[in-house]
Every structure is written in C-alpha cells, then in structure tokens.
Amino acid sequence: MNNIRKLRDKQPEHEKITINLGFVDLGRIDLLVQEGFYSNRSDFIRTAIRNQIEAQSEIVSKSVERHTMELGLRDYTRADLEELAARNEVLHVKVVGLARIAADVTPELALKTIGSITVLGALQAHPDIKKALADRIM
C-alpha cells in the first residue's frame, strides 16, 4: 500500500457551449458526417470554429497586443500573489484562453492583490474566490 499515490484532480480541457442551428444547416452537417468528412457533428463544428479563428488570426493577434492580454493558459499561484502582496502591487488579469487561480489562494489574498479580471474564455477558481472577486470580474 506504500506505492499508492493520489492522482491530481483533472481540470476540464474543454468548455461546453450550446448553439442553435437551423434545420437546413444541421442537415448539411449530418450529410457531411454521413459521407465521412467528419466523425460527428461536434468534430465539424470544432473544425469550422478553428478555421474561422485561423482566418482571423491577424486581427486576434493585433487585438491581444492592443489590449495587452495574455494568450493561452495562465496560472496564478499563491506564491505569485504573495509576491505581489509583499510589493504592495495589484494585478489586473487579462487573458484570452484559460485563467486559473490556484486552489490554495485565500479570498483575502485574492482581494488584496487582484484589482480586476477580464477573461475571454474561461476562469477556473474556487467558488469562494469567484464570490470574493465578483465585482472585479468583467
């Protein structure tokens, strides 16, 4: 029993969304799936979204630069926030993608060090952190 290790809690890699489609568009998607171009409806929709994002990549890059936002995954650890607190600095989180606040960050530390949060994508944080920062989440 000495060799048993606790696995880390797996964070979701995807955010679920719901869309409404007309019957004709849905039928066309189903036809492409039936013909073997895509494995299922979700595969088609993900591919279409990726193609649009790629087509607009220059605009997205310029916008990210203009807004000084970070692109991708950004983790905020307790050590990061404690370092900011020691320097009496306030963080303004701006992320396009996924922003995560570590589970060991206290609401008090978050309130002291996080001035605002803007996430285009998803924010993962303990519910107590989200509640404490509710008025700072844009």
Side-chain angles (χ1 to χ4, degrees), residues 14-34:
H14 304 284
E15 186 77 18
K16 187 173 186 172
I17 64 169
T18 302
I19 62 170
N20 295 316
L21 292 174
F23 296 117
V24 173
D25 290 335
L26 192 56
R28 289 176 177 168
I29 292 169
D30 287 343
L31 181 61
L32 290 169
V33 170
Q34 182 179 343

Side-chain angles (χ1 to χ4, degrees), residues 117-136:
I117 299 178
T118 303
V119 177
L120 302 175
L123 170 65
Q124 290 181 351
H126 190 278
D128 292 343
I129 298 292
K130 287 184 176 183
K131 183 177 178 183
L133 297 174
D135 64 333
R136 300 177 190 188

Side-chain angles (χ1 to χ4, degrees), residues 37 49 97 112 122:
F37 290 99
I49 289 170
K112 183 175 183 179

Side-chain angles (χ1 to χ4, degrees), residues 4-58:
I4 296 176
R5 285 186 243 151
K6 182 181 179 197
L7 297 176
R8 290 186 301 158
D9 293 334
K10 183 164 170 83
Q11 296 290 332
E13 296 177 11
H14 304 284
E15 186 77 18
K16 187 173 186 172
I17 64 169
T18 302
I19 62 170
N20 295 316
L21 292 174
F23 296 117
V24 173
D25 290 335
L26 192 56
R28 289 176 177 168
I29 292 169
D30 287 343
L31 181 61
L32 290 169
V33 170
Q34 182 179 343
E35 293 295 318
F37 290 99
Y38 301 94
S39 58
N40 53 44
R41 290 175 174 175
S42 292
D43 181 34
F44 171 85
I45 293 166
R46 279 191 298 271
T47 301
I49 289 170
R50 285 186 196 114
N51 289 342
Q52 281 301 305
I53 290 170
E54 182 61 33
Q56 305 296 328
S57 65
E58 187 176 332

